[in-house]
Amino acid sequence: MTKKKVVLEAIVFCLVFLILFFSAFLTFYLVSRQSMEERIRSISQVAEKIFDGDDLKTGEAVADYFSDSSEYRVSIIQKEQGGYVILYDSDDMLQSEGMATELETGNIGKFVTRKSSYGYDMVYYAVRDDENPDYFIRVAISESSATRISRNFLVYGSIVMAILMGSYIVFKYREYNRTVKPLKDQVERLLFLAGQPVNKLGGGEDLALIADSIDEVSSELDRKITDLQNERAKTKMILDSMSQGFLAVSGNGQIVLFNKKASEMFDYSEKDALFKDYHILSAGEAFSSRVENCLLGREEDIPFDIQLKGRTYQCNLMAMAYPWFDQTRRGVVILFLDVTEERSLVKIKTDFFANASHELKTPLTSILGYQEMLENGIFTTDAEKAEAIHMTIKEAKKMREMLSDMLSLSRLENGKERKLEDVEISSLIRSLVADMQPKLRENRISVDLKLEEYHLMTDRGDIEKVFSNLIDNAIKYNKKNGMIAIETNACERYITVSDTGIGIKEEHLSRIFERFYRVDNSKTLKNVEGTGLGLAIIKHICQRHGYHIEVRSVYGQGTTFILRT
Ligand code: ADP
């Protein structure tokens, strides 16, 4: 409905009302006029009955009879030569009216309206006397009193009607402002949200046009909502595919984004974490206060480490405007990088330098000691001198062995290029065992080989180092008359090296692959030399090729290393 329509409707309503009003007025006017005429007629009849043209005194009786009425004037008129004379009058207004009276006396039984000789608009009604035709009985009433009731009705009725019509228009206009106008405003807002031209509705507020626009807006919004849902799903997919933990906190501390990795880290599902305060994440006091500072704009975005479930994460805080429409509110985006390996590598490197210097210093000190004693002539006998030389060579060999292992490790760490070739593991093991025969015989250790053909695409140097170290350890940490069993299982892709040696206590098992880690076996074994790097090299080679090495041991009974390729 348009504003124009509202006004038009009000006008039509008023016109109908006017027509009804005037019909009522007309009816009222006619009825009251008729009743007045009847009254005049009956007055004239009464007067005519009282008056007798042959007895003029009866005229006085007529004047007396009607003298009380202020509304009517009853006159007895005589026609004379050249005019009319009022003989008797209820209002005592006796004057000659000349020919003026001709109008009513000439129109007997009809109502005549004319100006009186006093200048008033009057309605006249005359009848001829039955007894004497020269006499007339005339009843007069002022025009205003004849129409007074109707006029009052018209005046007051018009006022009431004007008030009613005005109220109706005001009511209609207010009703329009209360209903259609807000509806139009809302639809215009929706059009804006839906990216449609707002002036589509034009200046009008036609309900049909508004309804059409609502239809259009709702289908446009439907499309937009679907687009948004797709976008949301896309964003979620990207966030969830990230290997880093990711979350966003709004300006008021609510979690507004939470990816899958973050869920795993904090043991909270996305559903449980979203729109909760970020303090629910138990990442330590430091984390909370850094986020708080970032939200308050107190701190620059400096990365820091936190520990969660035994892993180290680097937290990167980035300030952002959130909610996006409020540039004054500062939110924060947090990215968690898993730096566990990086940090332990740094530690390993630091430890390595400390350990390497220590391990090299010990034999070097001993070499220098023997050489100084020799130089200073402290050893006097040949046997003493020979022993000193023997010890010096032994320590130097130890140093060489250590440097060689350190070199191997360094090469592996620097990503020494792999030369892959088809290596048949069983024959490689046989050849290694053959090379170690002197050592095996010296320690009276027997070897049981259960070997089947086992092909592996690998770097020959690397895999040779793995088995030579394992077999060397199986000899070193074995008992006299002990046994070594080596088995290859080509089908299940594993190789085991077992010994019946001293075994490894439970508490050392998890650490023997660390660099320079050596178990103190001095109580059970004498003179077992080692660098503590053999197993670390094996572990490194396995990582490089994607193999898996594990150890099982019963202290005092023996150890088994299983290599899965
Ligand atoms: P090392 O040069 O001392 O042999 P490794 O890295 O090869 O260094 O071994 C680390 C430690 O693991 C050794 O000191 C030893 O105590 C233990 N170990 C390795 N292999 C065996 C085995 N077959 N039996 C018992 N202990 C072993």
Side-chain angles (χ1 to χ4, degrees), residues 217-478:
V217 166
S218 61
S219 39
E220 183 63 29
L221 285 180
D222 262 359
R223 215 175 30 250
K224 285 227 159 39
I225 287 169
T226 315
D227 284 355
L228 276 177
Q229 280 168 341
N230 288 343
E231 280 303 313
R232 214 184 120 82
K234 233 192 279 173
T235 313
K236 185 170 161 44
M237 200 184 74
I238 294 169
L239 287 180
D240 284 351
S241 63
M242 281 168 66
S243 55
Q244 296 94 348
F246 178 90
L247 70 90
V249 177
S250 72
N252 57 5
Q254 272 185 353
I255 298 168
V256 288
L257 283 174
F258 199 72
N259 78 345
K260 202 168 152 205
K261 178 72 187 175
S263 287
E264 287 165 19
M265 285 167 56
F266 292 103
D267 279 336
Y268 262 106
S269 70
E270 187 192 7
K271 198 170 114 268
D272 289 340
L274 278 184
F275 306 111
K276 302 270 166 57
D277 192 283
Y278 74 91
H279 284 101
I280 60 159
L281 307 173
S282 36
E285 261 306 302
F287 173 78
S288 300
S289 71
R290 297 293 282 265
V291 175
E292 183 78 35
N293 284 343
C294 195
L295 285 174
L296 295 171
R298 280 196 216 130
E299 194 166 323
E300 286 309 308
D301 313 332
I302 305 162
F304 58 96
D305 285 1
I306 59 163
Q307 299 289 327
L308 278 176
K309 294 185 188 166
R311 298 200 69 82
T312 310
Y313 294 95
Q314 187 191 58
C315 298
N316 296 273
L317 270 55
M318 282 155 280
M320 58 153 191
Y322 194 95
W324 55 266
F325 48 82
D326 185 355
Q327 294 294 316
T328 57
R329 301 270 289 280
R330 195 176 144 120
V332 59
V333 166
I334 308 164
L335 188 71
F336 298 90
L337 302 176
D338 189 339
V339 289
T340 315
E341 267 74 46
E342 244 174 76
R343 296 288 183 266
S344 74
L345 210 65
V346 170
K347 189 173 180 315
I348 285 169
K349 284 213 167 116
T350 324
D351 291 352
F352 180 79
F353 275 110
N355 286 328
S357 332
H358 175 75
E359 295 295 330
L360 287 172
K361 213 172 142 192
T362 316
L364 197 63
T365 313
S366 147
I367 290 169
L368 278 172
Y370 280 118
Q371 290 304 316
E372 274 168 7
M373 283 195 275
L374 278 172
E375 193 183 31
N376 296 333
I378 291 172
F379 298 119
T380 47
T381 64
D382 283 349
E384 279 176 340
K385 282 178 190 166
E387 175 64 15
I389 289 165
H390 172 72
M391 289 306 288
T392 308
I393 291 168
K394 193 181 150 194
E395 292 298 327
K397 275 184 181 168
K398 199 174 165 181
M399 276 183 74
R400 188 181 61 189
E401 213 178 306
M402 187 159 301
L403 283 169
S404 146
D405 279 353
M406 281 163 64
L407 210 61
S408 300
L409 253 181
S410 150
R411 278 197 194 123
L412 285 169
E413 270 181 356
N414 290 335
K416 180 195 91 161
E417 212 187 310
R418 297 183 310 173
K419 284 191 197 124
L420 297 185
E421 57 183 290
D422 180 12
V423 180
E424 207 285 293
I425 302 297
S426 298
S427 48
L428 179 116
I429 290 171
R430 273 196 198 94
S431 121
L432 284 173
V433 171
D435 290 348
M436 292 188 187
Q437 275 309 323
K439 235 181 187 178
L440 288 163
R441 265 200 299 275
E442 187 188 325
N443 292 287
R444 282 193 230 124
I445 292 166
S446 58
V447 180
D448 178 17
L449 297 176
K450 285 191 191 131
L451 301 174
E452 55 185 42
E453 203 171 308
Y454 195 115
H455 288 272
L456 191 61
M457 278 303 284
T458 190
D459 184 301
R460 181 174 287 278
D462 283 353
I463 202 74
E464 214 175 84
K465 196 152 224 90
V466 170
F467 288 112
S468 68
N469 274 350
L470 287 179
I471 300 167
D472 192 46
N473 278 353
I475 300 169
K476 273 200 299 188
Y477 302 107
N478 219 319

Side-chain angles (χ1 to χ4, degrees), residues 44 47-60 62 74-81 83-89 101 104-106 108-109 125-139:
S44 66
E48 204 278 324
K49 275 206 176 83
I50 299 170
F51 183 67
D52 180 355
D54 297 330
D55 180 5
L56 282 181
K57 277 192 181 148
T58 53
E60 201 174 334
V62 170
V74 182
S75 314
I76 305 294
I77 298 170
Q78 184 187 11
K79 190 177 179 187
E80 283 186 347
Q81 200 66 38
Y84 293 86
V85 176
I86 298 173
L87 297 178
Y88 297 101
D89 190 276
T101 317
E104 54 267 22
T105 49
I108 292 296
Y125 182 81
V127 290
R128 201 184 287 271
D129 181 44
D130 287 345
E131 286 82 18
N132 191 337
D134 286 337
Y135 293 100
F136 297 92
I137 296 116
R138 189 185 70 179
V139 181

Side-chain angles (χ1 to χ4, degrees), residues 477 479 498-504 552-560:
Y477 302 107
K479 296 174 188 163
S498 314
D499 63 64
T500 53
I502 57 167
I504 306 164
R552 287 173 197 166
S553 183
V554 179
Y555 184 63
Q557 288 185 26
T559 305
T560 300

